[in-house]
Amino acid sequence: MSTPYENILVETRAGTGEGALSYGWITLNRPKALNALNDALMDELGAALRAFDADDGIACIVVTGSEKAFAAGADISMMSTFDYAQAYRGNLISRNWDTLREVRKPVIAAVAGFALGGGCELAMTCDLIIAADSAKFGQPEIKLGIIPGAGGTQRLPRSVGKSKAMDLALTARMMDAAEAERSGLVSRVVPAAELQAEADKAAQAMCGFSLIALMAAKESVNRAYEAPLTEGLLFERRAFHALFATDDQKEGMQAFLQKRAPKFTHR
C-alpha cells in the first residue's frame, strides 16, 4: 500500500505464516539530496511511524534509504541562516525528532551507503541497525563548526565506547560497516545486494511473535540502555512478571509443551 508523502515512500508488507502480523516499510526518498534530513522529511517520517505504531496489525517497522545513502546528514541549507534564538525558540531537532523515541514497536534501520551526521543519529535512534557492506557511518559536524545535535554525542559512546566516539566526533572520520559491527554500532553486516532481504527476514521473524512481548522486550532493553543496572533489573523483572497475565504467554508455553507452533492473539 503506497501513501502520498513527498519525501518518503511508505508501504505495508504482509507477514508470512498463520496468524502473522504485517510490518511497515519506510524508505527515505530525497535522492537528489542523498536523503538529507529536512523538516519536511522528518515531519513525514514521524507521521508514518505514528501511524504504524497505532496500527494493531503491525508488528514492527523498517526504515531504509537508497543504495548511495541512508541519509547523508541534516539539510545544511535549512540550518545555515539560523541564529541561536531561531534554533532555540524553534526547538530545532526536538520538535520532530523526538517522535522516534516515542515509538513503542521495534524499528529496524536498514543502512546502505552514507549514514553521516543526522543520518547516523537517525539510525542510532532505531532499535537495531542492519548494515550493507557499503555502509559508512560518521559524525562530521565538527567540520561545520558545530557538534552532533540529535543524540550523536550521547548514543555513540553508549554503542562504541568513549574513545571511538571521541575519534569520530573530533576528527570527522567515517567508520565502515566492518568497523561498525566490531564496535557494536550495528547488529549485522550483509552484502549490499542482500540488505533488503535481510531486513525483511528480521521483520518477518518479529511478525510471528507476540506483539505484547515484542514491545515489552524493547522497553526493557531501552531501560538497560538508559538506567542504572539495579533499576533496569527491577524493570525487567516486573515486565517479565506482567507477561504472565497475557493470553500469549499461556499459548506460547502450551504450544512449546505440545510441540506445535504457537498461535498468538496479541492479548
Side-chain angles (χ1 to χ4, degrees):
M1 179 182 68
S2 62
T3 49
Y5 294 107
E6 295 183 2
N7 298 283
I8 61 174
L9 303 174
V10 179
E11 60 181 299
T12 298
R13 298 188 178 184
T16 57
E18 186 178 356
L21 295 174
S22 299
Y23 59 102
W25 190 283
I26 302 173
T27 304
L28 310 182
N29 189 40
R30 295 188 71 211
K32 292 181 179 179
L34 294 179
N35 294 331
L37 304 172
N38 61 9
D39 269 347
L41 186 152
M42 293 306 298
D43 286 344
E44 291 182 2
L45 177 59
L49 287 168
R50 284 192 297 270
F52 281 134
D53 206 33
D55 187 338
D56 290 339
I58 296 293
C60 60
I61 307 155
V62 176
V63 178
T64 192
S66 67
E67 292 182 6
K68 289 184 178 180
F70 175 73
D75 192 332
I76 305 305
S77 63
M78 177 190 73
M79 298 188 296
S80 62
T81 61
F82 283 9
D83 59 22
Y84 171 76
Q86 288 173 297
Y88 183 76
R89 285 203 313 266
N91 208 14
L92 181 63
I93 296 175
S94 299
R95 185 185 66 77
N96 46 19
W97 279 71
D98 285 352
T99 301
L100 296 162
R101 298 179 59 248
E102 297 164 1
V103 175
R104 299 180 68 197
K105 294 174 182 176
V107 182
I108 301 165
V111 177
F114 296 112
L116 304 177
C120 185
E121 290 167 310
L122 174 59
M124 289 192 291
T125 307
C126 297
D127 298 308
L128 63 102
I129 302 173
I130 300 175
D133 54 11
S134 63
K136 294 185 181 297
F137 300 87
Q139 300 290 165
E141 288 89 345
I142 199 75
K143 295 166 71 174
L144 303 174
I146 57 173
I147 66 171
T153 66
Q154 304 303 302
R155 291 191 176 93
L156 196 58
R158 286 167 166 80
S159 295
V160 305
K162 175 186 174 182
S163 182
K164 194 171 288 289
M166 286 286 194
D167 186 7
L168 269 65
L170 299 181
T171 71
R173 79 173 181 87
M174 291 186 287
M175 180 165 59
D176 65 20
E179 183 182 357
E181 184 180 32
R182 289 196 308 270
S183 303
L185 181 62
V186 307
S187 63
R188 55 185 104 164
V189 176
V190 297
E194 299 174 16
L195 177 63
Q196 288 208 9
E198 191 72 10
D200 272 318
K201 181 180 175 182
Q204 288 283 2
M206 294 181 194
C207 287
F209 300 141
S210 164
L211 178 56
I212 299 173
L214 281 173
M215 294 168 68
K218 168 175 173 168
E219 194 172 14
S220 295
V221 172
N222 277 334
R223 183 59 63 100
Y225 185 74
E226 297 171 358
L229 178 60
T230 301
E231 288 301 313
L233 287 170
L234 178 60
F235 185 90
E236 176 195 71
R237 200 66 39 81
R238 293 297 178 255
F240 174 73
H241 293 161
L243 288 170
F244 281 80
T246 66
D247 293 343
D248 283 347
Q249 174 268 331
K250 304 296 186 295
E251 168 61 13
M253 292 191 176
Q254 284 300 309
F256 176 83
L257 293 173
Q258 296 168 8
K259 296 180 171 56
R260 60 175 175 81
K263 296 179 180 180
F264 293 121
T265 57
H266 315 293
R267 295 196 297 268

